[in-house]
Amino acid sequence: MKKIFTLIAAAFLALSAQAASDLTLNPAETVLFGGDWGFDNSGAPTLNFGNWAAGGGWQFDTPLSQDDYCGVEFAFEATTETHVTFMICYEGGAEQDIDVPTGSTSIKADFAFDGGITKIGFKYGDWEDATKKDAASITITSAVVKANSTGEVVELSFADLNPSEDESIKDAANQAITLTRYSTYPAWYFDPALNSDDYEKVVITFAEAIPEDGLQLNCECDGDGWSGTSLIGLTKGATKVTAYFSAKPGASIKSIGFYYSWNSKQGTDDVTTLKIASAKLIKKPGSSTGISTVATAQKDNETIYTLSGQRVASPVKGINIINGKKIVIR
């Protein structure tokens, strides 16, 4: 989906040369968080969990500051159990829980709540069999807390957030957008498209906590279809999302936007609202600066159909299918 508008981006230097470096955590220094379910360091640093144990990993006497660090990258031997959860604990009591799929060997997460980081680790809880004891283990091979980027920042204006076919979903006074499940897709569209070799991540902060499950941050990349940050779930209760671009080298990043899919009321026509405080693109250190604009133009040999299947010579107001993709024209 696309729409004709202009995105004005102002670039400036985000962080000083004094920025923190990545912090490597020693897998042999993990501890159990207040539990006595045991710790096995025979041959490899392995955390063994009893069912519904408090978990284990690293805890920090001085919380890690988000002025210095933005997220984590972990690698481990393939998990064999379900119901293993990766967790990040914050000052003030917030906890970010991410399921670890059976058989996975890594996890990457960005800090979704405000405040210092007090603990990073794993826990286990199998609600299907409460009798299990020491039934899950994680053998950690590497753990890194990622430093904030020293690349330049490009701010995305709320004024240029495309509200899809219905302008009324956008509340400019409050910088809020209303999302209807399975329908609206407010997004920033880039022309020329962003080069994935130049951009590292997008950081969006919200003026109010994310209200629902089922909200997503999406990225449309040229040649890959929906990829990169596609279908990154927004954590309910969090106040920001940080997503790295993972498109193939040289891919064009066409858009960044929001989508609302499912929640506990799935099957109804409910809506929800996101109140945006700021949105920033972070460039990779050393990449060139510039101003991106958004505009679409019809190309030669484009095939254009209306939603009802009628072929037309040029896009019409509403939803068009152009070369197989849905495009929204106001």
Side-chain angles (χ1 to χ4, degrees):
M1 291 182 275
K2 298 179 181 176
K3 192 184 291 186
I4 301 173
F5 73 103
T6 300
L7 171 65
I8 299 182
F12 61 90
L13 190 62
L15 300 171
S16 72
Q18 306 298 317
S21 300
D22 290 352
L23 174 63
T24 300
L25 303 176
N26 185 350
E29 294 176 351
T30 55
V31 297
L32 270 292
F33 297 148
D36 54 6
W37 281 270
F39 173 66
D40 178 9
N41 192 21
S42 58
T46 301
L47 283 167
N48 294 314
F49 301 107
N51 205 26
W52 301 105
W58 294 262
Q59 53 189 1
F60 309 103
D61 293 334
T62 301
L64 303 181
S65 171
Q66 292 193 48
D67 290 338
D68 297 324
Y69 301 102
C70 62
V72 293
E73 292 182 1
F74 273 65
F76 38 85
E77 292 184 4
T79 57
T80 58
E81 295 285 338
T82 57
H83 310 306
V84 174
T85 302
F86 179 79
M87 64 178 180
I88 303 171
C89 300
Y90 299 78
E91 290 178 303
E95 183 175 307
Q96 185 176 350
D97 290 340
I98 303 169
D99 291 339
V100 180
T102 302
S104 61
T105 58
S106 65
I107 197 164
K108 185 174 183 178
D110 298 292
F111 300 143
F113 295 90
D114 294 328
I117 313 304
T118 60
K119 297 178 183 177
I120 298 174
F122 298 87
K123 61 183 178 180
Y124 171 70
D126 186 349
W127 54 89
E128 296 169 354
D129 186 353
T131 65
K132 287 185 176 181
K133 300 296 181 183
D134 298 321
S137 64
I138 290 285
T139 300
I140 303 161
T141 56
S142 69
V144 177
V145 184
K146 300 297 292 182
N148 278 313
S149 174
T150 57
E152 294 179 5
V153 172
V154 175
E155 291 204 338
L156 302 178
S157 168
F158 179 83
D160 293 318
L161 182 64
N162 182 344
S164 294
E165 62 263 41
D166 185 358
E167 183 71 32
S168 67
I169 72 171
K170 184 173 170 181
D171 178 0
N174 294 303
Q175 292 206 164
I177 51 174
T178 301
L179 301 174
T180 301
R181 197 139 41 88
Y182 304 128
S183 177
T184 51
Y185 179 64
W188 290 276
Y189 295 94
F190 308 105
D191 184 14
L194 306 180
N195 189 324
S196 64
D197 293 340
D198 295 332
Y199 288 86
E200 180 179 51
K201 61 186 177 182
V202 58
V203 181
I204 299 174
T205 57
F206 302 95
E208 296 177 351
I210 295 167
E212 294 281 357
D213 294 321
L215 289 168
Q216 300 162 349
L217 180 69
N218 298 324
C219 175
E220 185 182 14
C221 298
D222 184 42
D224 274 346
W226 291 88
S227 62
T229 58
S230 177
L231 304 184
I232 292 296
L234 304 184
T235 303
K236 182 178 179 180
T239 54
K240 70 177 179 181
V241 59
T242 303
Y244 286 85
F245 297 120
S246 56
K248 65 182 182 181
S252 296
I253 300 169
K254 295 181 175 181
S255 70
I256 297 169
F258 301 97
Y259 190 66
Y260 183 32
S261 59
W262 58 269
N263 66 6
S264 59
K265 295 179 264 186
Q266 187 171 4
T268 66
D269 292 327
D270 57 319
V271 298
T272 193
T273 301
L274 275 176
K275 194 170 183 180
I276 299 169
S278 67
K280 301 175 181 179
L281 293 170
I282 311 298
K283 291 196 168 191
K284 294 178 180 178
S287 64
S288 60
T289 60
I291 294 177
S292 294
T293 61
V294 173
T296 61
Q298 185 178 353
K299 299 178 181 179
D300 293 335
N301 300 319
E302 278 186 332
T303 57
I304 305 171
Y305 295 88
T306 65
L307 195 59
S308 63
Q310 179 184 3
R311 184 166 183 173
V312 292
S314 60
V316 298
K317 184 177 180 180
I319 299 176
N320 298 259
I321 301 173
I322 303 177
N323 291 337
K325 293 186 178 181
K326 288 183 179 180
I327 309 294
V328 178
I329 302 295
R330 276 196 299 179

